[in-house]
Amino acid sequence: MQAILGVLFHSLGGVAAGSFYMPYNKIKGWAWESYWMVGGVMSWLIVPPLAAYLTVPGFADIIAAGSSMIIGFTFLMGLLWGVGGLSYGLGVRYLGMSLGNSVVLGFCAAFGAIVPSIYYNFSPMEGKVSFTDMLGTSGGQIVLLGVLVCLLGIGLCGRAGILKEKELSDEEKKKSVSEFNLVKGLVVAILSGILSSFFSFGIESGKPLADAAVEAGYDHLFANNVTFVVILWGGLITNLVWTTILSIKNKSYKDFTNRSTPIRNNILFSALAGTIWFLQFFFYGMGESKLGNGASSWILHMSTIILTANFWGIYRKEWKGVAKKTKITITAGIVVILLSVVLVGLGNSI
């Protein structure tokens, strides 16, 4: 029953993560940095402590009593993850929901599964599996195979993007993805996929905060909400600094007073996107409490996002007008990435 609940919670989180960008598509007349800033303040500054207060009312005291080393390292993981979150938005902006998410999350799943083991090679910890350990066990070898299969799937998705760019005119490509740019999109998507995996490391490093919440008598189901507050402080700083720089450079701060645009609706849609975004980790924390923060939890989360994002990609007709070969290629890429997810999960269960 615990495993079923874990899968359910992770699936809900994945649906939220795969859907949060949709409200941004309703925004009119604003620069990307304007609505990303509003959504970010909502998802990284306002909603996380509110969720923590509603589920773990004493979260502030727990954080204040936490080790400065734990707080600092968890914050650092959030800071690095914030670069991934920032570039994630750019990846979807340039590639669309389907291709952007497939590439970003494929890399995120692969690196989230393999980077911790490399770290434990240099800094061994009891109960943690190093890269050397993975090479010497059947389960570890299956995980590594899954990572290679994942990279193959990403290659197929990239190939589909190249075919799409060749087949469609600029006007046709921008009907579904208004700023489609394959080269820019792939570069930032790869960067995002690598750095986004640091959220998983942040949950691991902030585990003592969640444990302290349980020891204080709070429900284990919501204990990770304390850790999320610290991780997302890091993400907030990264994104706020970058969007502020862009806002000043492009003078897009004028968006907030430009009455020729639907200011109220734009703020509401941005806030909605930010709230939906946070729900992915609210439910991830609940799922992690049932399944643990191993690669299986992370991979399950990633696979649900990939499926959801591609559903929205179909809904938005992002592959309309391309040749049958291109559709087969992107479908094959998605299937291969999902296969890699299964392999990584299987390897970690052995």
Side-chain angles (χ1 to χ4, degrees):
M1 184 61 182
Q2 296 301 307
I4 293 174
L5 285 174
V7 171
L8 175 62
F9 292 143
H10 278 309
S11 297
L12 289 172
V15 169
S19 303
F20 90 92
Y21 207 89
M22 291 300 291
Y24 284 140
N25 293 314
K26 297 290 186 180
I27 292 171
K28 302 183 189 310
W30 275 17
W32 176 84
E33 58 268 21
S34 297
Y35 61 75
W36 192 257
M37 180 186 293
V38 175
V41 167
M42 197 72 181
S43 56
W44 298 314
L45 182 64
I46 297 176
V47 179
L50 177 60
Y53 175 75
L54 293 174
T55 55
V56 187
F59 79 96
D61 294 331
I62 293 171
I63 293 174
S67 158
S68 58
M69 182 177 291
I70 291 172
I71 299 293
F73 196 72
T74 304
F75 175 83
L76 176 61
M77 293 300 99
L79 204 67
L80 293 171
W81 163 82
V83 179
L86 178 67
S87 46
Y88 169 86
L90 291 170
V92 174
R93 174 184 174 187
Y94 292 133
L95 297 178
M97 294 288 289
S98 178
L99 181 58
N101 274 280
S102 296
V103 175
V104 169
L105 299 175
F107 271 105
C108 190
F111 277 84
I114 201 170
V115 170
S117 66
I118 296 174
Y119 170 78
Y120 293 129
N121 248 111
F122 295 98
S123 181
M125 291 179 64
E126 186 178 350
K128 300 298 182 181
V129 179
S130 69
F131 187 73
T132 304
D133 295 331
M134 292 178 71
L135 288 172
T137 62
S138 58
Q141 291 166 4
I142 293 175
V143 170
L144 294 175
L145 174 62
V147 171
L148 290 175
V149 171
C150 183
L151 295 176
L152 172 62
I154 293 168
L156 286 170
C157 289
R159 173 63 178 163
I162 293 171
L163 291 173
K164 176 181 179 179
E165 187 171 53
K166 288 180 178 178
E167 292 168 10
L168 301 181
S169 66
D170 289 341
E171 183 180 342
E172 289 173 317
K173 283 180 285 191
K174 291 177 180 180
K175 284 181 181 178
S176 58
V177 184
S178 60
E179 297 179 78
F180 185 86
N181 187 307
L182 183 66
V183 176
K184 280 186 182 180
L186 288 177
V187 170
V188 296
I190 291 169
L191 175 67
S192 175
I194 295 171
L195 292 178
S196 291
S197 63
F198 279 80
F199 201 101
S200 180
F201 311 155
I203 294 173
E204 190 69 29
S205 63
K207 194 66 178 171
L209 298 175
D211 292 340
V214 175
E215 290 171 7
Y218 295 110
D219 194 333
H220 180 63
L221 192 65
F222 304 112
N224 280 303
N225 286 339
V226 181
T227 309
F228 292 158
V229 172
V230 179
I231 297 174
L232 294 174
W233 281 340
L236 173 69
I237 297 300
T238 304
N239 283 266
L240 198 58
V241 167
W242 180 241
T243 52
T244 299
I245 290 172
L246 286 181
S247 187
I248 294 172
K249 177 185 176 183
N250 300 328
K251 297 184 179 180
S252 49
Y253 54 82
K254 296 179 181 179
D255 287 343
F256 301 111
T257 56
N258 184 1
R259 295 189 177 278
S260 66
T261 65
I263 298 176
R264 185 179 66 176
N265 282 352
N266 285 354
I267 290 174
L268 287 175
F269 280 124
S270 297
L272 176 61
T275 302
I276 295 174
W277 181 93
F278 174 75
L279 288 178
Q280 69 168 305
F281 288 117
F282 180 82
F283 287 114
Y284 182 92
M286 295 171 69
E288 188 271 346
S289 73
K290 301 297 182 183
L291 296 181
N293 191 40
S296 298
S297 277
W298 189 245
I299 292 297
L300 178 59
H301 183 66
M302 293 295 106
S303 62
T304 312
I305 302 175
I306 291 170
L307 286 172
T308 304
N310 278 284
F311 166 79
W312 286 118
I314 293 170
Y315 173 78
R316 286 173 50 77
K317 300 178 180 178
E318 291 179 354
W319 297 94
K320 182 180 179 181
V322 300
K324 184 178 180 180
K325 177 183 176 182
T326 305
K327 291 179 180 178
I328 291 174
T329 304
I330 185 62
T331 302
I334 294 164
V335 170
V336 170
I337 289 174
L338 292 175
L339 173 61
S340 75
V341 166
V342 173
L343 287 171
V344 172
L346 176 62
N348 276 279
S349 68
I350 296 177

